[in-house]
Amino acid sequence: MPRVLILFAHPALEKSRAHARFIQHVPPRDDLTFHDLYEAYPTFDIDVRREQHLLIDHEIVVLQCPFFWYSTPALVKQWEDLVLEHGWAYGSQGKALVGKSLLCLLTAGGGAAAYTHEGYNRFTIRELLAPLEQTTRLCNMRFLPPYVVHGTHRLNEVELDTEAQRYRLLLDALCDGRIDLSGADQYATFNAALDTLAQEVLR
Amino acid sequence: MSQEFLLQAFVYLVAAVLAVPIAKRFGLGSVLGYLIAGVVIGPFVLGLIGSEGEDVLHVAEFGVVLMLFVVGLELEPALLWRLRTSIVGLGGLQVLATSALLMAGGLAFGLPWQAALAVGLTLSLSSTAIVLQVLNEKGLMKTAGGQGAFSVLLFQDIAVIPMLAIFPLLAVAPASAATDDHAATTLVASLPAWAQTLAVLGAVAAIVLAGRFLVRPALGVIARTRLHELFTATALLIVIGIALLMSQVGLSPALGTFLAGVVLANSEYRHELESDIDPFKGLLLGLFFLSVGASVDFGLIFAQPLLIGGLVLAIMAVKFVVLLLLARVFRFGFDQSMLLAFALPQVGEFAFVLFSFANQEGVLGPEITSPLVAVVALSMALTPLLLQLNERVIQPRLGTTEAARTPDQIDEQAPVLIVGFGGFGSTVGRLLKANNVATVVLDNDSDRVDLLRRLGLRVYYGDATRHDLLAVAGAAKARLLVIALDSPEHTLELVQIARKHFPELVVLARAFDWDDAHDLQEAGVQYVYRQSLDTSLRLGTDALRLLGFRGYQATRAAQTFLRHEEESLRELAKQRSDRTVYLSAARERIEDLEHLLRADLEDSNEMRDLGWDAESLREEVRRSQLANNRAVAD
């Protein structure tokens, strides 16, 4: 069974609605590690060795953050810069992350329709994540289609609760290996992969 | 000192020391423990104390005076103002309605209307001493019901004054000669009525003005002598002085000291005064409860058990019903109304005073007051039991919905206690205040406290290494204790006291060098801050920048150094505990410094921030180019 590491990055959790709700639904299990980056490194002083050990100890990395300026919050970039060292994560000697998977779990204020070629934001989220996708590939990891919760500003309490339940379902499914990661690329988003799983369960 | 006095003190103290812990063990509270102990040593069981119990009761009433002073200290004028409706409305109606009903009862017993009125008024009062002590012990003072009970008691204490004034007018028999302390002629007794009123008003004004403009500066002078016992003496002097003044103008001493307490509640010496008076208050109140227990006249009770028992039941039932109805009218929740009604149905200690006064003035004869005094004592003894009943049987059935809805709205507890408010502590305090975190500050530099208070900060004077002072400053309920004292010795002392008496409190301590940082860690403090560390690193960072380092490079260097420093200190601590040879302190410092410098040298060889370092990448590119070239060349 894969071990799952949640790298959580939110610079202002106290102002968050969606993520604050979600992380209360992280299932308490031994094969799941929740790691709050802004809480651990408020001065951006990242402990590189510790982060590398965490990566080695897990097979699936879930990068959970809000989608800021079509990208991640700043600390995630600092984390990439410092933790993914040449000769460790990539390069001819860098094989530490071979075979692991990265899933981006994002919240976006805009609706799903805005992230289409015809829409307001002109690109899909997957396209906007291209730098991260290529970083993942360069580090010999599998990049999974992103899991996106759209329109978070408009979600009411009931809808937020529904999303939080799906979040929990997703994490449990990942830990239990119930989603076929190698076939995940057929889906545009990981939400679709989870929906398929849910339908199978119902059947 | 006479042998007899010592013997009596011995008997009282043994009774208290034995009975109170036993009562507390059985969950009965200290008041009931004292009362039972009083009964046991009283004339009807062991007979260790006899008629002198009456005199002791008068001495012990001073405990009530001290208690109201402390109550006043805890009650800032703003809070008193917020309680005004319940004091005047709830308290006033309670006295009126209860007096009227009990007066009707008196008339039914065939008393003349004057006597019935006197009895009704007297019995409408409740016991401040017992109720406040029990509610405090149960932590119920800050609940709506507790505040309501307090308001009623406060009104009753005020109501005693007009009662004493009208009793002489109700006399049906000629006044007997003054035999009791309480009838001691006052300075103003011989004056005409208008002058008496003027004297009363003048005394009240004197207390308020002196509290504001005389006592506070005087306390400042005393505090600067740094003689703790002198401060205690001053605190007692204030209370006794006011009590004397009040009885001279014919007011209740308790009311006067309460007023003084309220005036001083805003002062920086509030916590210090409170913790100084507290032990005296506790002892005298204990003595008071003991004497009440001892004064229960079992001879009279056994002679007319039905009459006495019936009276106790009837009086308490009337008071209970009136309180319950009024509490509902004043929109208390049902559970809080029950608390209020169960707290106040007894007759208070003022009844002893008023009955003996009524005897002298010829309002009531001893044939009426003697059984009533027994009734009063019994009703007081029943109070802790009634509150137990309420807590164990009644409240669990009601649920605590009310308490959950209004969590301590008047509770001004701060989550952070800051000790020491010099440059270090004040910066911490300002940061917290800027982020709306309430703090209570203790500092033992009275000049600084004066200054800071003039700037409108909530700073209190006091030596925080006294655990009683920590307690009144709210250490039991605070979450964090920030120690920013100027000396490592005091810091360590305070840490030990805090860990002993308030183990729940998280301690954040200022340290000076790694030497005492180490001591603090050994004492169990998890959060230790060397005061010079961050500053010197900031200076070092700027020095690097002035020498041409890039800003972020210098900052990263300092961040890395800080982390390295912490590791080295952990290592050093281990090394020090392994060290078997005794070294002088100075020698030890040099050895430690040597250790740190060596660690720095070893560490500087290690590459940092490799992610931003393209050297290995360049190397790899060169190698693959070489291979390519070779392949091409082949």
Side-chain angles (χ1 to χ4, degrees):
Chain A
M1 284 295 140
R3 292 172 54 82
V4 176
L5 170 67
I6 302 174
L7 290 179
F8 176 66
H10 201 307
L13 188 58
E14 66 283 357
K15 297 179 185 171
S16 147
R17 289 175 69 227
H19 286 285
R21 181 79 57 102
F22 293 174
I23 64 177
Q24 286 171 2
H25 290 78
V26 174
R29 34 194 307 166
D30 292 339
D31 49 0
L32 179 67
T33 306
F34 181 81
H35 183 34
D36 186 342
L37 288 176
Y38 271 95
E39 187 67 12
Y41 307 119
T43 61
F44 278 46
D45 186 20
I46 288 166
D47 184 341
V48 175
R49 300 291 160 250
R50 177 186 174 200
E51 293 303 309
Q52 292 180 344
H53 280 303
L54 278 172
L55 288 176
I56 288 170
D57 284 344
H58 297 82
E59 285 73 47
I60 300 177
V61 179
V62 176
L63 176 59
Q64 180 187 345
C65 56
F67 202 46
F68 285 167
W69 278 120
Y70 310 110
S71 183
T72 64
L75 182 57
V76 176
K77 186 63 170 62
Q78 176 98 335
W79 182 93
E80 290 168 31
D81 287 358
L82 290 174
V83 177
L84 305 176
E85 284 176 343
H86 175 251
W88 183 80
Y90 70 102
S92 58
Q93 308 296 311
K95 301 295 176 210
L97 303 175
V98 173
K100 296 182 191 292
S101 302
L102 177 80
L103 172 68
C104 294
L105 194 158
L106 307 169
T107 52
Y115 289 95
T116 58
H117 292 168
E118 299 71 34
Y120 184 72
N121 288 317
R122 298 181 51 239
F123 297 95
T124 66
I125 288 198
R126 174 91 189 232
E127 285 165 353
L128 291 166
L129 287 173
L132 201 59
E133 176 165 358
Q134 181 49 26
T135 301
T136 310
R137 289 279 157 78
L138 190 66
C139 294
N140 310 298
M141 293 170 75
R142 176 191 290 126
F143 185 79
L144 299 169
Y147 182 93
V148 186
V149 179
H150 279 289
T152 48
H153 303 317
R154 287 190 295 270
L155 292 183
N156 63 31
E157 293 297 305
V158 179
E159 290 164 329
L160 273 177
D161 265 336
T162 312
E163 287 297 343
Q165 295 303 333
R166 280 169 59 79
Y167 170 85
R168 188 190 172 113
L169 187 71
L170 169 71
L171 293 175
D172 276 329
L174 284 175
C175 289
D176 295 336
R178 281 194 282 139
I179 301 181
D180 173 26
L181 299 182
S182 58
D185 234 3
Q186 61 177 302
Y187 301 103
T189 64
F190 212 79
N191 306 53
L194 187 68
D195 290 342
T196 313
L197 176 76
Q199 279 159 15
E200 276 166 17
V201 170
L202 283 179
R203 235 182 281 138
Chain B
M1 215 174 278
S2 75
Q3 193 75 14
E4 184 139 356
F5 173 81
L6 284 181
L7 190 66
Q8 258 199 46
F10 183 76
V11 168
Y12 278 107
L13 289 173
V14 166
V17 168
L18 285 181
V20 175
I22 293 174
K24 285 215 103 169
R25 168 60 59 88
F26 289 107
L28 296 177
S30 66
V31 175
L32 203 55
Y34 281 120
L35 290 171
I36 293 170
V39 172
V40 171
I41 59 174
F44 296 94
V45 182
L46 295 182
L48 292 175
I49 51 169
S51 56
E52 75 277 5
E54 287 282 311
D55 301 329
V56 173
L57 187 61
H58 293 318
V59 174
E61 270 164 18
F62 196 65
V64 183
V65 172
L66 289 176
M67 180 175 69
L68 274 156
F69 181 63
V70 172
V71 168
L73 277 178
E74 286 173 356
L75 204 70
E76 293 175 21
L79 177 61
L80 198 58
W81 183 243
R82 241 187 295 162
L83 288 177
R84 63 189 183 279
T85 343
S86 51
I87 295 174
V88 178
L90 189 59
L93 286 174
Q94 185 271 336
V95 172
L96 282 180
T98 316
S99 302
L101 285 171
L102 292 175
M103 180 182 168
L107 290 174
F109 265 83
L111 293 179
W113 72 267
Q114 294 96 329
L117 178 58
V119 168
L121 286 173
T122 305
L123 296 182
S124 73
L125 304 175
S126 306
S127 169
T128 310
I130 289 182
V131 177
L132 289 194
Q133 180 78 9
V134 175
L135 290 182
N136 257 327
E137 235 169 67
K138 292 186 186 295
L140 292 172
M141 269 312 280
K142 302 270 167 130
T143 61
Q147 292 287 341
F150 174 76
S151 307
V152 172
L153 289 168
L154 196 57
F155 183 86
Q156 293 177 348
D157 285 349
I158 300 169
V160 171
I161 302 156
M163 288 186 195
L164 285 169
I166 63 167
F167 269 29
L169 309 178
L170 299 175
V172 284
S176 61
T179 49
D180 191 272
D181 298 352
H182 289 275
T185 43
T186 64
L187 276 182
V188 295
S190 54
L191 296 177
W194 62 268
Q196 287 194 19
T197 317
L198 218 58
V200 167
L201 290 177
V204 171
I207 288 174
V208 173
L209 291 175
R212 273 275 147 84
F213 302 110
L214 186 69
V215 175
R216 275 168 74 166
L219 285 172
V221 173
I222 302 290
R224 271 187 286 275
T225 65
R226 293 186 179 274
L227 290 170
H228 183 219
E229 66 278 11
L230 202 59
F231 201 93
T232 310
T234 316
L236 280 175
L237 176 66
I238 293 168
V239 178
I240 293 176
I242 291 168
L244 270 178
L245 174 69
M246 278 310 188
S247 23
Q248 283 310 310
V249 298
L251 286 188
S252 129
L255 197 66
T257 50
F258 171 75
L259 192 62
V262 174
V263 172
L264 289 171
N266 273 336
S267 98
E268 57 272 50
Y269 303 105
R270 163 185 168 190
H271 291 313
E272 183 89 4
L273 283 171
E274 203 179 324
S275 60
D276 277 346
I277 294 287
D278 244 358
F280 295 101
K281 176 201 92 176
L283 277 176
L284 281 175
L285 271 185
L287 192 58
F288 173 76
F289 299 136
L290 278 171
S291 341
V292 170
S295 69
V296 177
D297 189 343
F298 284 96
L300 204 63
I301 295 173
F302 291 137
Q304 301 165 295
L306 284 180
L307 175 70
I308 305 277
L311 277 176
V312 171
L313 275 181
I315 291 169
M316 292 183 84
V318 166
K319 296 189 79 167
F320 183 91
V321 171
V322 168
L323 285 162
L324 190 62
L325 289 177
L326 281 178
R328 294 301 285 166
V329 169
F330 278 79
R331 297 176 185 279
F332 284 80
F334 191 65
D335 60 330
Q336 297 296 314
S337 302
M338 287 300 265
L339 171 63
L340 185 73
F342 269 112
L344 298 172
Q346 77 295 99
V347 184
E349 56 276 5
F350 276 118
F352 300 129
V353 179
L354 285 171
F355 279 142
S356 70
F357 185 66
N359 269 338
Q360 293 150 38
E361 295 293 332
V363 186
L364 299 169
E367 72 286 354
I368 299 170
T369 52
S370 302
L372 282 179
V373 165
V375 167
V376 171
L378 274 181
S379 76
M380 286 167 87
L382 284 174
T383 305
L385 285 174
L386 279 179
L387 280 165
Q388 285 294 338
L389 179 75
N390 177 48
E391 189 180 71
R392 301 252 170 105
V393 183
I394 312 284
Q395 293 291 344
R397 310 225 164 143
L398 297 175
T400 48
T401 46
E402 182 76 7
R405 205 185 64 217
T406 50
D408 289 1
Q409 45 175 353
I410 322 151
D411 193 347
E412 285 171 291
Q413 280 298 333
V416 184
L417 202 61
I418 300 180
V419 179
F421 213 60
F424 194 100
S426 64
T427 311
V428 176
R430 282 167 49 211
L431 174 67
L432 295 178
K433 191 178 159 77
N435 289 281
N436 293 324
V437 176
T439 55
V440 170
V441 175
L442 288 174
D443 195 295
N444 58 358
D445 179 336
S446 51
D447 288 330
R448 184 154 65 205
V449 171
D450 279 346
L451 173 78
L452 292 169
R453 290 186 66 89
R454 260 181 270 132
L455 297 174
L457 293 165
R458 281 183 57 187
V459 183
Y460 296 100
Y461 168 81
D463 172 9
T465 50
R466 290 175 41 205
H467 78 86
D468 48 349
L469 188 57
L470 277 179
V472 287
K477 287 187 191 148
R479 290 169 58 194
L480 309 179
L481 171 65
V482 175
I483 308 179
L485 291 170
D486 288 326
S487 103
E489 292 77 27
H490 282 146
T491 306
L492 201 59
E493 195 184 338
L494 180 52
V495 164
Q496 278 149 1
I497 287 163
R499 287 186 58 83
K500 183 170 165 217
H501 294 279
F502 310 100
E504 300 289 303
L505 208 52
V506 175
V507 178
L508 294 90
R510 165 200 198 177
F512 296 83
D513 50 20
W514 37 258
D515 205 31
D516 59 86
H518 182 223
D519 289 345
L520 286 170
Q521 269 160 352
E522 287 220 312
V525 182
Q526 199 182 344
Y527 301 94
V528 177
Y529 302 86
R530 277 191 289 153
Q531 61 163 0
S532 58
L533 185 61
D534 292 77
T535 328
S536 44
L537 284 177
R538 278 184 55 205
L539 188 153
T541 306
D542 286 345
L544 288 174
R545 294 185 72 176
L546 289 168
L547 291 171
F549 281 67
R550 304 251 321 141
Y552 197 57
Q553 182 191 11
T555 304
R556 292 288 300 164
Q559 284 180 341
T560 313
F561 187 91
L562 184 61
R563 198 149 16 109
H564 158 75
E565 178 78 358
E566 278 161 6
E567 275 163 31
S568 306
L569 278 187
R570 270 196 293 276
E571 190 57 34
L572 184 65
K574 237 185 289 165
Q575 200 195 19
R576 287 181 119 202
S577 51
D578 288 347
R579 215 179 265 168
T580 46
V581 230
Y582 173 78
L583 299 171
S584 74
R587 182 71 213 138
E588 202 161 52
R589 266 162 220 270
I590 291 169
E591 291 231 338
D592 289 344
L593 186 61
E594 188 188 337
H595 166 89
L596 292 177
L597 286 168
R598 276 184 198 287
D600 291 346
L601 284 174
E602 282 160 23
D603 198 55
S604 64
N605 297 327
E606 193 196 310
M607 294 291 279
R608 298 189 203 109
D609 292 349
L610 287 173
W612 286 322
D613 192 327
E615 194 49 50
S616 69
L617 201 52
R618 281 189 213 111
E619 181 69 27
E620 186 169 322
V621 171
R622 265 201 303 278
R623 251 189 282 122
S624 63
Q625 267 174 354
L626 249 129
N628 281 346
N629 291 347
R630 220 174 281 143
V632 171
D634 289 344

